[in-house]
Amino acid sequence: MDTALDLARWQFGITTVYHFLFVPMTISLAFLVAIMQTVWWRTGNEQWLRLTRLFGKLFLINFAMGIVTGIVQEFQFGMNWSSYSRFVGDIFGAPLAIEGLLAFFLESTFLGLWIFGWDRLKPGLHLMTIWIAAIGTALSAYFILAANSFMQNPVGYTMNAERGRAELTDFMAVLTNKVALITVPHTLFAAFMVGGGFVAAVAMWHLIRRPERDADAFRGAARLGAITLLIAGIGVVITGDIQGKVMTEVQPMKMAAAEALYEDADECAPFSVFTIGTLDGSKPLWSLEVPCLLSQLATGSFDGEVRGINSLNAEYAETYADSGLTDFSPNIPVTYWSFRLMMGLGFAAMAASAWILWTLRKGRLPRQGARSTRWLLATAIVLPLLPLFANSFGWIFTEMGRQPWVVFGLMPTEAGVSPSVSAAQVWTSMIGFTLLYGALAVVEVKLLLRYIGKGLPDANPPRHDDDSDRPLAFAY
Amino acid sequence: MELTTVWFILIAFLFVGYFVLEGFDFGVGMLVGLLAKDEKERRVLVNTIGPVWDGNEVWLIVGGGALFAAFPEWYATLFSGFYLPLFLILVALIIRGVAFEYRGLREHQAWRDRWDWAIIVGSFLPALLWGVAFANIARGVPLNESHEYVGGFFNLLNPYALLGGVMTTAVFLTHGAIFVALKTVGDIRVRAHAFAQRVGVVAALLAVAFIGWTAARDGDPAVWIIGAVAAVAFLGALAASHAERDGWAFVGTAVAIAGVVIMLFVSLFPDVMPSTLDPAFSLTTENASSTPYTLKIMTWVAVAFTPIVLIYQSWSYWVFRKRIGVQHIPA
């Protein structure tokens, strides 16, 4: 691995996956904290204020990492992928710029107001600031996913041969790309699984390990988190099903790779839940299959026809004869397994949150010392990681499944790299960022655990007045 | 006016906003190592910019996004060509941003000292490197016929660019010290005043040299005039600071920074990145830009939303307008 292309691809993978550990948590926690503060504002119940303060702190610890890794993400296109940037800038740049103007300014400004404004703003106004910041995060998701969806399914453009680039002809088509319209809800629901799982896990840990402290508040938080996860999970399943069908239509190769399906299946194609084998088209050693499910997932009909890698490859070789590519299939084991891990981890998270809700039904609390409670604690501890990694694998599947294209059908990935950047330069930045990311991950996890362990802060309801000698409410 | 010219002006506007705003929080960040005598004073410094630094940094993110959208060739050449300086800037912005959020989360002196270093280095490096980068853009760099940067890293370290970097560092320090004087009470304010005077003289000399060099090389009377306005504004800021008129002093350094950035953009136009190899290889507002259709959409979005952003950002500055001092820092 010594070419700038390989390195740039690895760097993109590392920065993207790393950045996207913080994004789903930021989006969902912003809303969950806003909900907690709203409950306090409506009911005056101080437990919800204390929960707002605790999860607000955890949210901010996470948000800081999300924003700094996001800057790298934006500049990486120009640094490592300058040919790609020249090729799609006319189209791809617009949603990125609009994301900044519409979403990032909102998020950062109103979050600043929220953090430091507890005593400076009237309670209703202060509550509004966290809601605006939360809406900013969701807006941001929409614009960035519209940009990404263009790479998956280019629409609203024309090719300019003279300048050698794709040019925008219909901006509304880009904003209403059918891939974007289904990817946005799918990704937002998936994000809510992460935040819901996190809130539920923190609360369950306290309920089991420190049942004497703030049981009422944590029971409320655990239920809020678990219900959020469960509802979001149902949303993910429904949108994921629709997305699978849209994908089969626009990128049949990605879906064939997801099943490692080499030969066309004329009707009733089975879905393999688990396979032991090489996934290279030879017969697997063992495979657990659900009959006809793949046909249903891909086409919406149990006897639908699903096309395989070989025939798609032959067709693409003809359609894209002048692309310089010969193999149009992505890395099959990566796509196959990331697809299954995405779904499997998501379902496991839903099962775990259902168990939590069952344990807490009708005013109950976990029984201390019971064997099942020990298992419940272990489940709660892994709970946030399940949807978090499901999100990561979802992105790995989406991006790896599009290969060898960076813009599907228009630009091979290898053509997008910066011609003027040497392997040594990419090595420098990749080692630098990776070491820094590693160190910061350790710091962030330690801080999260520390503040989770501290439990609920004191209430100290904010007073809105003009006493200028009082301490800052949420000072650094 | 051509839409490409409109967008050249809008990009200039975004970078003016970025350097005027983040300029003072870079300055405050550097001052954490120079001005504060104890933990409480360091916290006062950090809290003067606490509610706003993140919003200031978004000016850069929007500037980068707008460059990508309006002048993709400029974005591509600049970011791939200035690879290592940009990498260093990104590392600096990462450790700095995290440091602001994390330094107060543990009551442990070694922990805080470490993050203070991250703030100091993370503010100093971008202050220096942005000056180097923008001076190089104005001066021109070796671009080949396909607008790719063909110089090495050391090509960027020429005397003019280094002067630009040292100048921005000194100017941001002054801008930051004047901001601290404007936002604090007590001892720290007195020291910020004195510091602004001292570093301000050095910054003024560097700025005048840089402005003179830029204007002499360019020769355009407009560049001379804008440069002169910037220099006068900076000297006025020092005079106002001396008279303890902090608000006016801050306006002065803000106008001076805006003036220098505008001067660089005016000296560029209609190029956006001149090539030192052959003027025919230069990137211009024409050959670097997006299509008129994209620019038109972006113009509508910018016209509709920029005023809203300006309103709520100004409001947030208004909400946190009070001066703070050590007595406001909770134990």
Side-chain angles (χ1 to χ4, degrees):
Chain A
M1 192 181 71
D2 54 4
T3 69
L5 172 66
D6 289 335
L7 292 166
R9 292 188 64 186
W10 270 102
Q11 181 162 29
F12 193 86
I14 292 168
T15 23
T16 309
V17 170
Y18 192 68
H19 175 58
F20 210 77
L21 295 175
F22 308 103
V23 172
M25 190 93 126
T26 299
I27 295 173
S28 51
L29 274 185
F31 279 97
L32 286 167
V33 170
I35 290 169
M36 291 172 187
Q37 191 173 337
T38 307
V39 175
W40 167 65
W41 188 66
R42 296 285 299 210
T43 64
N45 182 343
E46 282 196 354
Q47 284 184 345
W48 287 99
L49 174 62
R50 297 171 69 205
L51 285 168
T52 304
R53 290 258 162 107
L54 171 64
F55 285 102
K57 197 86 162 181
L58 301 175
F59 163 68
L60 292 174
I61 291 171
N62 177 74
F63 179 79
M65 293 291 289
I67 191 155
V68 294
T69 54
I71 304 180
V72 180
Q73 198 65 341
E74 181 191 3
F75 290 167
Q76 187 176 199
F77 293 113
M79 290 171 78
N80 287 342
W81 302 97
S82 67
S83 297
Y84 165 81
S85 302
R86 290 179 210 278
F87 182 73
V88 296
D90 194 54
I91 302 157
F92 190 82
L96 231 59
I98 297 174
E99 181 194 20
L101 186 64
L102 261 65
F104 289 156
F105 271 131
L106 272 189
E107 276 178 71
S108 58
T109 309
F110 283 90
L111 217 50
L113 283 159
W114 184 71
I115 299 169
F116 289 85
W118 281 93
D119 309 279
R120 293 277 179 269
L121 300 170
K122 293 195 178 90
L125 195 58
H126 183 257
L127 176 62
M128 195 190 72
T129 61
I130 183 77
W131 276 107
I132 292 178
I135 289 165
T137 66
L139 262 182
S140 167
Y142 169 72
F143 285 107
I144 202 68
L145 290 172
N148 180 272
S149 296
F150 179 82
M151 300 165 78
Q152 310 287 346
N153 179 40
V155 290
Y157 73 99
T158 179
M159 288 300 295
N160 180 338
E162 195 191 333
R163 290 201 56 170
R165 67 179 186 183
E167 294 183 342
L168 188 62
T169 55
D170 185 352
F171 191 52
M172 275 316 285
V174 171
L175 292 183
T176 57
N177 189 338
K178 60 182 165 190
V179 173
L181 292 185
I182 192 62
T183 305
V184 170
H186 187 66
T187 312
L188 286 178
F189 279 129
F192 273 93
M193 291 181 74
V194 177
F198 181 73
V199 171
V202 169
M204 285 307 287
W205 187 85
H206 277 279
L207 283 179
I208 295 170
R209 292 299 300 275
R210 294 182 178 161
E212 72 287 354
R213 272 173 58 180
D214 302 313
D216 271 1
F218 281 123
R219 187 171 174 278
R223 284 170 52 85
L224 173 67
I227 290 171
T228 303
L229 193 156
L230 214 51
I231 294 174
I234 293 166
V236 167
V237 171
I238 294 169
T239 52
D241 183 55
I242 301 170
Q243 193 179 24
K245 290 169 180 63
V246 173
M247 260 313 141
T248 308
E249 194 189 321
V250 303
Q251 285 182 30
M253 182 63 96
K254 184 187 279 181
M255 301 315 285
E259 180 57 32
L261 180 75
Y262 283 84
E263 300 303 329
D264 292 357
D266 292 337
E267 57 178 15
C268 191
F271 177 83
S272 66
V273 178
F274 194 87
T275 293
I276 299 172
T278 54
L279 302 174
D280 61 357
S282 56
K283 195 150 175 51
L285 293 173
W286 181 81
S287 182
L288 172 64
E289 291 184 339
V290 182
C292 300
L293 182 59
L294 180 61
S295 285
Q296 165 63 28
L297 289 176
T299 67
S301 150
F302 282 106
D303 51 9
E305 182 189 339
V306 185
R307 299 193 54 195
I309 295 163
N310 292 340
S311 81
L312 286 167
N313 221 350
E315 183 196 313
Y316 286 179
E318 216 163 284
T319 315
Y320 304 116
D322 47 9
S323 67
L325 298 168
T326 50
D327 183 0
F328 293 89
S329 65
N331 183 321
I332 307 295
V334 169
T335 24
Y336 180 90
W337 285 113
S338 57
F339 190 63
R340 271 146 197 80
L341 284 164
M342 168 184 79
M343 293 202 294
L345 293 170
F347 282 123
M350 289 171 71
S353 67
W355 187 19
I356 289 174
L357 283 178
W358 173 253
T359 312
L360 301 179
R361 70 192 181 281
K362 292 179 193 156
R364 284 171 217 223
L365 288 169
R367 272 196 305 128
Q368 290 305 313
R371 180 188 289 269
S372 65
T373 302
R374 257 178 289 155
W375 279 105
L376 191 63
L377 181 64
T379 307
I381 288 169
V382 294
L383 178 58
L385 299 180
L386 300 173
L388 189 63
F389 290 141
N391 270 264
S392 303
F393 285 117
W395 271 112
I396 290 171
F397 169 69
T398 296
E399 299 293 283
M400 291 292 285
R402 191 187 56 229
Q403 302 304 323
W405 300 105
V406 62
V407 183
F408 185 80
L410 296 184
M411 185 183 225
T413 304
E414 60 190 30
V417 77
S418 298
S420 63
V421 173
S422 67
Q425 285 175 311
V426 191
W427 266 125
T428 309
S429 70
M430 187 159 85
I431 292 172
F433 283 135
T434 307
L435 289 178
L436 183 59
Y437 284 168
L440 290 178
V442 173
V443 173
E444 141 125 9
V445 169
K446 279 192 171 167
L447 278 175
L448 285 177
L449 294 179
R450 190 182 165 81
Y451 274 88
I452 290 168
K454 278 189 174 179
L456 292 184
D458 291 338
N460 284 334
R463 298 170 300 166
H464 174 68
D465 57 25
D466 286 325
D467 177 2
S468 59
D469 272 344
R470 262 179 328 95
L472 293 159
F474 229 94
Y476 283 158
Chain B
M1 203 188 315
E2 295 284 326
L3 277 179
T4 50
T5 310
V6 171
W7 272 92
F8 183 82
I9 294 169
L10 281 172
I11 298 286
F13 171 75
L14 287 167
F15 279 97
V16 165
Y18 176 63
F19 287 118
V20 166
L21 294 173
E22 186 125 290
F24 75 74
D25 68 53
F26 282 149
V28 174
M30 293 186 269
L31 288 171
V32 167
L34 296 168
L35 211 55
K37 280 207 298 218
D38 56 24
E39 166 63 15
K40 278 218 161 160
E41 289 193 349
R42 279 192 286 272
R43 289 182 69 179
V44 169
L45 284 180
V46 172
N47 277 292
T48 59
I49 55 170
V52 296
W53 72 267
D54 193 4
N56 294 347
E57 198 157 290
V58 174
W59 283 81
L60 172 66
I61 298 176
V62 176
L67 210 56
F68 198 169
F71 299 103
E73 301 270 347
W74 187 3
Y75 168 83
T77 300
L78 176 65
F79 284 77
S80 61
F82 292 12
Y83 196 91
L84 289 178
L86 281 165
F87 161 67
L88 291 175
I89 287 175
L90 290 177
V91 168
L93 293 181
I94 290 175
I95 58 171
R96 175 179 189 268
V98 172
F100 283 135
E101 300 292 341
Y102 287 1
R103 83 175 291 286
L105 293 182
R106 283 186 61 190
E107 303 280 335
H108 194 259
Q109 203 50 51
W111 167 269
R112 293 193 166 163
D113 291 346
R114 226 170 294 151
W115 287 121
D116 285 341
W117 274 109
I119 290 174
I120 295 161
V121 174
S123 303
F124 174 78
L125 264 184
L128 178 77
L129 290 172
W130 280 128
V132 172
F134 270 76
N136 271 309
I137 295 173
R139 174 179 176 268
V141 286
L143 301 183
N144 67 16
E145 68 281 2
S146 43
H147 308 310
E148 295 288 352
Y149 178 75
V150 290
F153 175 61
F154 292 100
N155 227 313
L156 300 174
L157 303 182
N158 53 77
Y160 174 71
L162 291 175
L163 173 64
V166 178
M167 182 272 297
T168 46
T169 311
V171 167
F172 290 164
L173 261 176
T174 314
H175 193 38
I178 286 175
F179 180 77
V180 171
L182 177 65
K183 285 291 294 180
T184 55
V185 287
D187 258 12
I188 190 125
R189 181 171 175 219
V190 175
R191 261 177 283 135
H193 255 295
F195 187 83
Q197 304 288 307
R198 268 181 288 143
V199 75
V201 173
V202 179
L205 290 173
L206 291 166
V208 167
F210 182 79
I211 289 168
W213 194 340
T214 308
R217 214 196 42 226
D218 193 82
D220 185 343
V223 173
W224 277 109
I225 293 169
I226 299 166
V229 170
V232 169
F234 197 80
L235 297 173
L238 294 184
S241 172
H242 189 72
E244 304 206 11
R245 300 293 297 268
D246 300 326
W248 284 110
F250 186 72
V251 170
T253 46
V255 170
I257 291 168
V260 170
V261 178
I262 293 169
M263 175 190 74
L264 289 177
F265 273 85
V266 168
S267 80
L268 268 179
F269 189 81
D271 284 345
V272 294
M273 269 185 104
S275 172
T276 50
L277 300 181
D278 181 342
F281 301 164
S282 296
L283 279 172
T284 66
T285 54
E286 281 304 315
N287 69 19
S289 76
S290 287
T291 55
Y293 175 72
T294 298
L295 293 179
K296 201 174 85 188
I297 287 170
M298 297 274 299
T299 307
W300 281 114
V301 174
V303 165
F305 291 99
T306 312
I308 299 174
V309 172
L310 291 176
I311 289 170
Y312 65 65
Q313 276 215 336
S314 312
W315 177 61
S316 86
Y317 276 87
W318 174 252
V319 169
F320 302 112
R321 66 191 175 280
K322 277 187 180 143
R323 290 176 187 270
I324 58 172
V326 285
Q327 72 271 30
H328 298 107
I329 299 297

